Amino acid sequence: MAKIKTYDLICIGGGSAGFNAARVATALGKKVAVIDGAKQLGGLCILRGCMPSKTLIYIAEILHHAQQADKFGLKVTGARADMKAVHARKKRIIADFARYREQALTEGKFDLIRAYARFVDAHTVALSDGTRIRGKNFLIGTGSKVSIPPVPGLAETKSWTSDEVLDLDFIPKSVIVLGGGIVACELAQYLNRIGAEVTLIQRSEHILRDHSDEASSIVQRAFVDEGIALFAGTQIQAISSERHGVAVTFIHDGKKIVRRAAHLFNALGREPNTTNLDLATAGVKTMPDGQILINRWQQTNVPHIYAAGDCSGPVEVVHIAIAQGELAARHASGLKGLKPVDFSLLLNVVFTDPQLATIGLLESELLLRGTKYLSASYPFNDHGKSILMEANYGFVKVLAEPKRGRILGAEIVGKDAGELIHCFSTALAMRATVHDMLRAPWYHPTLAEIITYPLEEIADQLAR
Ligand SMILES: Cc1cc2nc3c(=O)[nH]c(=O)nc-3n(C[C@H](O)[C@H](O)[C@H](O)COP(=O)(O)OP(=O)(O)OC[C@H]3O[C@@H](n4cnc5c(N)ncnc54)[C@H](O)[C@@H]3O)c2cc1C
């Protein structure tokens, strides 16, 4: 019998978490294997997540500006999406990104095994190609999959996931979007802007419910202004297929409403992709929904098995998956003096228009903890650069500690909030105060300059 190959670290999954763990462990001189069973390598971010969605959302934004050209005194007639060309461009861009990642995975620094893995004991995995390999350490980075919550009729009705929406080469006549989370909102606006008639049905009172009501209600208003039929605070009673599409029956404001559309988009969320790993065989504990339980070093309850990215959470974004994968690789390699991933610096961006971005502590968290803070905000519709850009939705809000004015967090909803929020990244990481930030130069007239107004207001509050 052939001897089973043994590695220092086996990464199950070659997405953002698995690839970066492998890269770091290899650089530390470890013998590493990455196992990935997908037909196409690249992971969710490159193939069906961040990159295709942002490619398409940016195109839809350009189209939106062209259709709004008369606001600027311009005549642009007949602006519309040529979906065959849009689709071809997206495919070309994504293929380039995927090729680049595939090169990095196959250049030979570590072994890449194209198969699915499942545990047969705490140190051995069986591969779908019939072989087995052993690891001193493991990093589980198997990502997430679309979940189908128990909504009456949903499982029986044909629906799109974000995968299908990101791969459209035609303009759908009408779409009902179920959900009000990030993916639902970003892609509902995309669909609406390319010309589909969009109905968004959301259970909680506000879309983007992980953000403040103040911020999410501004995105909600922008959606309604653009023509999205938005129903929040609903209770879905039935979903069914019809001859020309789907019907969704729900309660809204105490009334029973039926909406029909050609297509249904299930954007109700994702769940950890861990069911096929036979984790129990290795003794690894999960939450009921399959989320792998980890400590601050990314170790599961079986210390040589680590997990990172969407399969373990607690937040499903790429820079966290990368940071977690890298940390796990360093910890498994025995490095000392490490620091856990710092969630007090958590950065979040929603790529709607207006964008919504937060960093650090949210006001709701400060209130919950009973932490004292100072806050100040400033609206975009009173700021020179945004007025000349017709970018009037939203505000910048800054939260600071009340003694010295150390920045605790910031929330921006408005034009390019996802870029502007980075003005706070270094400041938060370096524990800067509002005075430190005000010592920096701010060019006029820029969107970024708006940040100085709440900073100055907090400086005034501190001086009183
Ligand atoms: C539409 C959409 C838009 C998004 N936009 C953003 C954004 O703008 N910014 C952001 O930060 N995040 C965004 N995300 C989230 C982001 O894409 C994920 O958080 C991130 O890609 C997760 O990385 P991962 O390494 O955990 O998993 P993945 O990248 O999904 O990698 C998992 C890998 O594991 C492999 N695998 C699974 N099971 C096995 C097995 N048993 N054996 C071997 N291999 C296996 C899979 O083939 C896959 O390649 C978006 C997500 C979606 C759906």
Side-chain angles (χ1 to χ4, degrees), residues 12-18 35-38 42-45 48-50 53-54 115-118 141-144 162 166 183 186-187 270 273 276-277 308-311 316-319 321 351:
I12 308 178
S16 303
I35 310 170
D36 200 308
L44 181 63
C45 167
R48 288 176 296 277
C50 328
S53 61
K54 271 77 241 183
Y116 283 102
R118 63 180 175 79
T142 49
S144 58
S162 50
L166 294 175
V183 171
E186 289 183 355
L187 295 184
R270 300 178 69 87
N273 180 24
N276 296 327
L277 285 168
D310 286 8
C311 66
E316 292 75 36
V317 291
V318 166
H319 72 280
F351 290 86

Side-chain angles (χ1 to χ4, degrees), residues 25-73:
T26 307
L28 290 169
K30 301 294 168 190
K31 189 178 169 193
V32 177
V34 172
I35 310 170
D36 200 308
K39 244 194 224 144
Q40 199 185 359
L41 293 172
L44 181 63
C45 167
I46 294 175
L47 302 174
R48 288 176 296 277
C50 328
M51 301 314 279
S53 61
K54 271 77 241 183
T55 304
L56 296 171
I57 286 167
Y58 187 65
I59 291 171
E61 188 182 336
I62 295 173
L63 176 61
H64 179 71
H65 287 314
Q67 288 169 343
Q68 304 284 307
D70 57 343
K71 275 193 189 166
F72 298 88

Side-chain angles (χ1 to χ4, degrees), residues 9 23 170 226 258 275 286 382 415 439:
L9 178 68
R23 185 180 53 74
F170 66 97
E226 282 188 22
V258 182
T275 36
T286 65
D382 195 36
K415 173 84 183 151
R439 266 205 303 278

